[in-house]
Amino acid sequence: MTGTAQQPGPSRASALEGIVIADFSRVLAAPYATMVLGDLGAEVVKVEQPGRGDETRTWGPPHFEGEATYFLSVNRNKMSVQIDLSTRAGREQARELIARADVVVENFKPGTMKKFGLDYESLGRDDLVYCSISGFGSGKGADLPGYDLLVQAVGGLMSMTGPGPYEPVKTGVALVDVLTGLHACVGILAALRHREATGQGQLVELDLLSVLLSSMVNQSAGFTLAGSIPKPMGNRHPSIAPYEVFPTADQPMVLAVGNDRQFRRLCSVLDVPELATDERFVTNSARVEHVDELFEVLSARLRTRPAQHWFETLTPLGVPCGPVNDIAHAFALAESLDLNPTATIGDMTLVANPIRLSRTPVTYRLRPPKLEQ
């Protein structure tokens, strides 16, 4: 089948310019999604409880000029309106907002929006894209609280994270919430594309548990395909070696050697070329099997020089490595690589949106709203 290539139309200022989002979300997963969509140009109206607002407004320290940085981290490019959904007048106000919206996003406990007459079915708009996010779905898991830490625990992530079987560890950030927010963005954008082609909206549903099971990728597939149940391995990888944290003369560093060629180069720089032909280490599978012995040999050599020395020596040779940075050094690294990791709105410096679009770049138009706005 052949066709005629269409010339691109005129660029808009922002990719989602003209899209209006009625944002009934709080805390992290859904607010992260609506912020990303706002960065891409959508008009986002955040609905908050009068006098109290989003729970994260009180989640501090740390604070920036009296405001919780947790709230500020996921609520830029939004306008705020206070609506009491428990009142008839408030529900009518919400309906008026939804009437001019293209997208509704909510992450209340399942059944809450139905109680208010604001669920997808009750609204009865065939062109509306409606995104609902829950912890464990709207069926048998509807009454379970959807907290990231809880999902990390019951969803299996903590069982494979940490130094040993009796020391489960959560990730250092609410990673499941963030992943769910990103999946919500994908679902919403897909639904908008479908509406553009057909005129029909649809219901987009996500739950934290399903997102986590999908996001554990190789570990999940190892179970579904081979019945393998991962165990905590500290900083090691179940299928690659050396791929973990090593000591140096001054600070920890990571080696992430992904193939035999990189391993040979590593051995040459560390002045132990014999390791590359040792039957215990000659292939990746062999190195995984003898990872404890490999760690001892490599650690002895790496301890002789600072982490920066190894980084500067190994990186040009294509051996992935780097120091274990704190967040300040991580931002400094991004700055040194001209990645522009921050964005300024007025006197506020926030983390930049990582999406780079050549025709319709993200914009930073509005600081996170104060409750009285």
Side-chain angles (χ1 to χ4, degrees), residues 274-295:
E274 66 275 9
L275 290 186
T277 56
D278 189 314
E279 64 179 11
R280 297 172 300 169
F281 311 128
V282 69
T283 67
N284 177 69
S285 295
R287 292 193 292 274
V288 172
E289 185 177 353
H290 298 92
V291 66
D292 289 332
E293 300 156 77
L294 181 62
F295 178 83

Side-chain angles (χ1 to χ4, degrees), residues 29-308:
Y32 186 81
T34 54
M35 181 183 72
V36 172
L37 297 172
D39 290 350
L40 294 171
E43 176 188 341
V44 181
V45 181
K46 182 179 180 69
V47 176
E48 299 192 71
Q49 183 177 347
R52 186 178 155 194
D54 191 312
E55 294 97 305
T56 60
R57 287 185 181 275
T58 64
W59 287 11
H63 293 91
F64 173 81
E65 296 183 353
E67 297 180 80
T69 59
Y70 199 118
F71 174 84
L72 299 177
S73 71
V74 290
N75 284 291
R76 67 168 171 249
N77 283 334
K78 303 178 185 181
M79 296 173 286
S80 176
V81 58
Q82 298 182 57
I83 299 178
D84 186 352
L85 296 178
S86 68
T87 68
R88 180 177 298 179
R91 293 191 293 274
E92 182 57 35
Q93 188 179 356
R95 281 182 171 273
E96 291 174 1
L97 170 60
I98 294 170
R100 73 178 190 89
D102 302 279
V103 181
V104 170
V105 179
E106 64 91 12
N107 63 341
F108 286 109
K109 181 179 177 181
T112 300
M113 291 294 270
K114 183 176 181 62
K115 180 180 67 175
F116 296 143
L118 299 173
D119 58 304
Y120 178 68
E121 290 78 12
S122 298
L123 291 170
R125 266 186 56 192
D126 194 49
D127 65 336
L128 182 65
V129 173
Y130 193 108
C131 179
S132 289
I133 297 176
S134 64
F136 298 91
S138 57
K140 293 181 178 180
D143 291 331
L144 297 176
Y147 286 89
D148 182 279
L149 176 62
L150 175 62
V151 177
Q152 288 195 40
V154 302
L157 183 58
M158 287 178 66
S159 76
M160 65 182 79
T161 307
Y166 302 107
E167 301 172 86
V169 175
K170 70 176 182 66
T171 60
V173 69
L175 188 63
V176 184
D177 277 338
V178 174
L179 289 167
T180 302
L182 292 174
H183 278 80
C185 284
V186 174
I188 290 167
L189 293 174
L192 285 171
R193 176 66 184 91
H194 174 77
R195 191 186 73 160
E196 184 180 276
T198 68
Q200 295 178 321
Q202 59 187 298
L203 177 62
V204 180
E205 294 182 284
L206 300 100
D207 66 87
L208 301 184
L209 179 58
S210 295
V211 168
L212 175 56
L213 294 176
S214 172
S215 299
M216 290 189 292
V217 288
N218 60 302
Q219 300 283 36
S220 292
F223 170 70
T224 62
L225 295 173
S228 174
I229 298 178
K231 303 298 181 184
M233 302 180 65
N235 292 308
R236 288 180 176 170
H237 194 285
S239 307
I240 310 173
Y243 198 99
E244 60 180 297
V245 176
F246 288 86
T248 70
D250 62 347
Q251 69 179 104
M253 68 170 282
V254 160
L255 278 176
V257 175
N259 57 56
D260 297 336
R261 182 181 67 256
Q262 292 174 354
F263 184 66
R264 289 193 294 270
R265 291 174 179 172
L266 171 67
C267 293
S268 177
V269 170
L270 297 183
D271 198 24
V272 284
E274 66 275 9
L275 290 186
T277 56
D278 189 314
E279 64 179 11
R280 297 172 300 169
F281 311 128
V282 69
T283 67
N284 177 69
S285 295
R287 292 193 292 274
V288 172
E289 185 177 353
H290 298 92
V291 66
D292 289 332
E293 300 156 77
L294 181 62
F295 178 83
E296 292 303 322
V297 176
L298 296 181
S299 293
R301 298 301 303 163
L302 291 166
R303 283 192 179 99
T304 63
R305 295 286 190 277
Q308 189 64 27

